Amino acid sequence: MSSIPRPARIALIVVSLVSSLLVAGFALTRAVGAGKVLGGVAVADVALRGMTPTEAADALHDLEARQATEPAAFSVRGQSIHLDASQVGFALDIDSMVEKAMAEGRTGNLSEQFRDWISSLFNGRPVDLEASIDPDLTRLLLAQWSSEILGDPPFEGAVAVVNGTVVAEHPRAGSQIDPDAAPPLILAQLVDPDPTPVELPVVTAVPALTDRDVDRAAAEARLWISQGITLRSGELTVEFAPDELADALRSRIVEQSSPILELFFDPNAVRTILERYQSEVEQPAVDARFEIDGYDVEIVPGRRGTLIDPEQTAVSLALAASTSSRTGSLPFLEGAEPEVTTDDLEALDVRHLVAAFTTYHDCCQNRVTNIHLIADTVDGVIVRPGESFEVNSFVGQRTTEAGYLEDGTIEQGEIVKTVGGGVSQFATTFYNAVFWGGYEDITHKPHSFYFSRYPEGIEATISWPAPNLEFRNDSGSAVLIKTRYTDTSITVEFYGNNDGRVVVGAHREGNTTVDVVREGGNAARRVKASKSDRFSPTEPSTRYRGNPDLKPGTVKRVQSPAPGWSIRVTRTIEQGGQERTQEWVVRYLAKPEIIEVHPCEVPGSTTTCPTTTTVPEATTTTTEP
């Protein structure tokens, strides 16, 4: 008979039974969860248990989309400002979080994994939220806020000429939002599930230059314009009078290990001075050029010319200004080559139309003017093999000075009018030429909301300074970009050499057509694309805001709602018997309904409604841009 007391034997049996059940449960969850996220794993409020890596990534994409819909609130010296997450390139590191979610409970030996499983039954397995913001976009935004709100930027100093007299403009300190402390605060605010407005710190920005540095440069400037300067080339002599030198003198800050104030003569001003000699010595060179003949490209040869180089003349003036003789050489180029020679164009190997795409729009709106302006700017650009082309960097900021008008732009979930609005029609058309031409897509961002005038999933938006649109010419030939338009359409054409293959596409009234005009040879890139069904639908919210111009009981809808969803786009490029496939998810946010009412009728408002004898009831719906 056993010497172990009966209660102890019962306890041992119970322990043994419980241990067996736990081991069995551990084994069962491992068998059922093979290739999936184990139990208890979550990122923020998103439970990932039982999901495959693809399903977990889709769930985290939905989380990213939700977080992007809520603007973050900040203040600078008491002034409130709001930030749309896209302005700073906010993104979740979904691949990393999915990898860590799949690893949860699967590290260490079997005994350690068993203990981790036991612990997860009570504590769960939280995975840290990993997010980032783009440092360059954030720096630009902070500089913009500093300028608009503080209005006191630092000044490094300058030397100017006023009415022929050299003036030293001394440095002065200024104020700016702390560029080191602010980005972590912005990121923390964007990921906070229950954020409250955050005050961004302001610091004093002290110039690196001193009054003495500027006074020294001013003394040198007085020497530069004290007497005339003579430049010669053979028998040609050009005299620059002191007043002409004064008009052309400039200063600039040069960033080195420490900034310096540098004097120089403005080449544009020098060019104006030289204009009186142009008829005597200059014959402009004529560049070789491409000429389009149907789908093919021909080269019209250029010819040589003669000219004076204003840039090098400005350098010669600066060198002569510091000498006792006040003389120098005139950079005169006799028989100069054209900037673009026939050989240059032959080497680019631009032979035929590779891809063209057209989208359509209503006529006679401000956005049409903006589309035409950006198209004219990009027309004729050449992107050499291996080079990248960024639309924003090339076109620059859209401003009223450049002729751009106000039209619709999406900002913080609302369609509002901004200068340059509507140029995304050009961006979408441009992006489709990249897409169907088989070129490398470096950066593109679809619209936050879906618009039927663009191909679903295969479209792009653009604004300043972000989002941007960039592609790389990964072919062996250069790309010549041509644009053309009517009052109701915009076309972007990519010319190059795709072994004769020509593709022409268009999108109109919700329908996309892509036609292969010429099949091309065996070395041609052939592009195929497909889109999944819509998934992860989201419903629009309703936003109320006060409008004191409205009477109580009056409702004004300024934006109608629309649902959101996600789709998966796949592009396959076949060339020389080999295929490469690219896949990405496009998320369209639900467009919120925006309603204006009297401030007293905003939900949660503490404003008292004015007393009236009769309260009118009316609903006004505005037309969105």
Side-chain angles (χ1 to χ4, degrees), residues 514-581:
V514 179
D515 298 321
V516 179
V517 179
R518 293 180 184 171
E519 190 61 36
N522 294 331
R525 297 185 305 278
R526 290 172 167 80
V527 178
K528 295 182 294 183
S530 63
K531 292 178 285 188
S532 71
D533 293 333
R534 296 174 179 178
F535 62 92
S536 296
T538 56
E539 292 301 318
S541 60
T542 300
R543 299 180 186 174
Y544 290 89
R545 67 187 182 201
N547 183 346
D549 295 332
L550 296 178
K551 296 180 180 179
T554 302
V555 177
K556 181 179 181 181
R557 175 190 279 176
V558 297
Q559 179 167 285
S560 58
W565 64 85
S566 297
I567 64 168
R568 184 174 286 104
V569 178
T570 302
R571 178 172 79 156
T572 301
I573 302 175
E574 185 274 329
Q575 185 175 21
Q578 296 184 338
E579 283 191 355
R580 50 193 172 99
T581 299

Side-chain angles (χ1 to χ4, degrees), residues 155-412:
F155 177 61
E156 286 287 351
V159 171
V161 179
V162 179
N163 297 326
T165 302
V166 173
V167 177
E169 299 178 350
H170 291 138
R172 59 178 179 272
S175 300
Q176 64 181 8
I177 300 173
D178 193 329
D180 298 319
L185 295 175
I186 291 174
L187 180 58
Q189 186 79 333
L190 291 174
V191 300
D192 191 335
D194 188 22
T196 57
V198 171
E199 175 75 17
L200 297 179
V202 175
V203 295
T204 299
V206 178
L209 296 178
T210 65
D211 290 357
R212 184 177 179 183
D213 295 327
V214 177
D215 290 339
R216 186 183 299 113
E220 184 179 6
R222 294 184 186 96
L223 175 63
W224 279 29
I225 65 174
S226 60
Q227 302 177 49
I229 293 177
T230 302
L231 299 184
R232 296 186 177 90
S233 176
E235 297 181 358
L236 179 64
T237 299
V238 178
E239 298 285 348
F240 295 85
D243 61 329
E244 292 175 323
L245 297 175
D247 289 341
L249 184 65
R250 306 285 188 273
S251 71
R252 59 191 168 198
I253 302 297
V254 179
E255 297 291 342
Q256 298 180 348
S257 56
S258 59
I260 63 171
L261 184 59
E262 180 182 77
L263 300 176
F264 69 102
F265 289 109
D266 182 2
N268 291 323
V270 172
R271 179 182 286 107
T272 301
I273 300 171
L274 292 172
E275 285 177 354
R276 65 177 184 265
Y277 297 95
Q278 284 181 326
S279 60
E280 300 177 30
V281 299
E282 286 196 351
Q283 291 184 357
V286 176
D287 290 340
R289 71 181 191 277
F290 289 120
E291 190 170 273
I292 309 301
D293 182 12
Y295 295 124
D296 298 314
V297 179
E298 297 180 351
I299 296 175
V300 178
R303 62 177 177 81
R304 300 170 69 94
T306 59
L307 55 91
I308 299 175
D309 188 341
E311 286 76 14
Q312 289 302 315
T313 300
V315 174
S316 291
L317 286 173
L319 294 174
S322 300
T323 66
S324 58
S325 65
R326 310 281 294 183
T327 60
S329 61
L330 179 66
F332 171 63
L333 303 176
E334 186 175 3
E337 287 276 3
E339 292 185 12
V340 181
T341 68
T342 304
D343 290 342
D344 292 336
L345 297 190
E346 287 285 357
L348 296 176
D349 194 33
V350 176
R351 303 298 177 188
H352 62 86
L353 177 67
V354 174
F357 203 83
T358 301
T359 62
Y360 294 84
H361 52 73
D362 293 336
C363 79
C364 316
Q365 299 174 345
N366 285 354
R367 67 193 306 271
V368 177
T369 297
N370 297 338
I371 293 167
H372 292 178
L373 281 173
I374 194 171
D376 288 339
T377 304
V378 174
D379 184 50
V381 165
I382 294 175
V383 185
R384 289 171 170 74
E387 289 184 346
S388 299
F389 178 76
E390 295 180 61
V391 176
N392 263 346
S393 296
F394 185 83
V395 175
Q397 185 173 3
R398 273 68 76 188
T399 63
T400 54
E401 291 78 10
Y404 288 91
L405 306 176
E406 287 191 342
D407 212 297
T409 301
I410 301 173
E411 285 192 358
Q412 299 183 18

Side-chain angles (χ1 to χ4, degrees), residues 11-25 114 117-118:
L12 288 173
I13 292 172
V14 171
V15 170
S16 177
L17 180 60
V18 171
S19 297
S20 298
L21 290 174
L22 288 174
V23 171
F114 179 72
W117 177 73
I118 295 292

Side-chain angles (χ1 to χ4, degrees), residues 454-470:
Y454 305 135
E456 184 180 16
I458 308 177
E459 48 102 348
T461 185
I462 190 171
S463 188
W464 180 268
N468 201 359
L469 178 60
E470 180 181 5

Side-chain angles (χ1 to χ4, degrees), residues 9 55 91 157 252 304 374 440 507 559 586-587 595-596 599:
R9 290 201 305 276
E55 292 170 339
R252 59 191 168 198
R304 300 170 69 94
I374 194 171
E440 181 181 344
H507 182 85
Q559 179 167 285
V586 177
R587 299 181 302 282
I595 295 176
E596 290 185 352

